[in-house]
């Protein structure tokens, strides 16, 4: 994981908020009623729900989520025509440890 890539991903307020929201998805997105049957990606939230909460276009949010995934902050799973994202806690913890050591 590249520390600067993660910092750049977090430098956008909306991307930072998305990471906060995904820490407690039930609180911020409801009881996951929108997650389709058969999708076993616990804590995953679909792009459409994130876009709706943010008030931005789905295409913009998709770009943000891909950037966050490439930086290691998120992981995703495709189910039917939907893509779900959740926090990559292992990677986030590794970033925090690395960041503290570097500063």
């Amino acid at each position: 994981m590249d520390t600067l890539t993660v910092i750049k991903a977090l430098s956008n307020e909306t991307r930072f908020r998305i990471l906060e929201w995904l820490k407690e998805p039930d609180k911020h997105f409801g009881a996951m009623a929108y997650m389709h049957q058969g999708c076993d990606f616990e804590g995953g939230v679909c792009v459409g729900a994130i876009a709706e909460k943010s008030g931005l276009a789905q295409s913009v949010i998709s770009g943000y989520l891909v950037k966050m995934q490439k930086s290691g902050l998120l992981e995703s799973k495709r189910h039917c025509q939907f893509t779900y994202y959740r926090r990559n806690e292992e990677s986030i913890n590794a970033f925090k440890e690395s960041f503290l050591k570097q500063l």
Side-chain angles (χ1 to χ4, degrees):
M1 171 186 293
D2 179 46
T3 302
L4 289 178
T5 302
V6 175
I7 291 170
K8 287 177 186 178
L10 293 173
S11 68
N12 175 282
E13 183 179 355
T14 301
R15 289 192 297 257
F16 187 83
R17 296 284 175 240
I18 290 169
L19 199 61
E20 285 183 319
W21 297 335
L22 292 176
K23 188 171 186 177
E24 299 176 281
D26 287 342
K27 175 181 174 183
H28 296 284
F29 297 99
M32 306 301 226
Y34 48 84
M35 188 170 279
H36 292 82
Q37 261 188 338
C39 186
D40 59 348
F41 196 58
E42 186 176 336
V45 178
C46 71
V47 175
I50 297 169
E52 185 177 322
K53 181 162 182 69
S54 73
L56 297 174
Q58 190 165 330
S59 60
V60 172
I61 293 301
S62 291
Y64 285 179
L65 294 170
V66 167
K67 183 174 186 115
M68 294 170 74
Q69 181 182 14
K70 286 181 179 179
S71 73
L73 295 169
L74 300 178
E75 51 191 6
S76 68
K77 182 173 185 174
R78 184 107 175 129
H79 181 74
C80 298
Q81 73 265 30
F82 301 98
T83 303
Y84 296 90
Y85 287 88
R86 68 180 177 197
R87 291 167 51 110
N88 183 340
E89 295 297 342
E90 184 178 314
S91 185
I92 290 170
N93 289 331
F95 164 73
K96 290 190 296 188
E97 288 177 25
S98 173
F99 186 74
L100 290 174
K101 286 179 185 177
Q102 290 179 13
L103 289 181

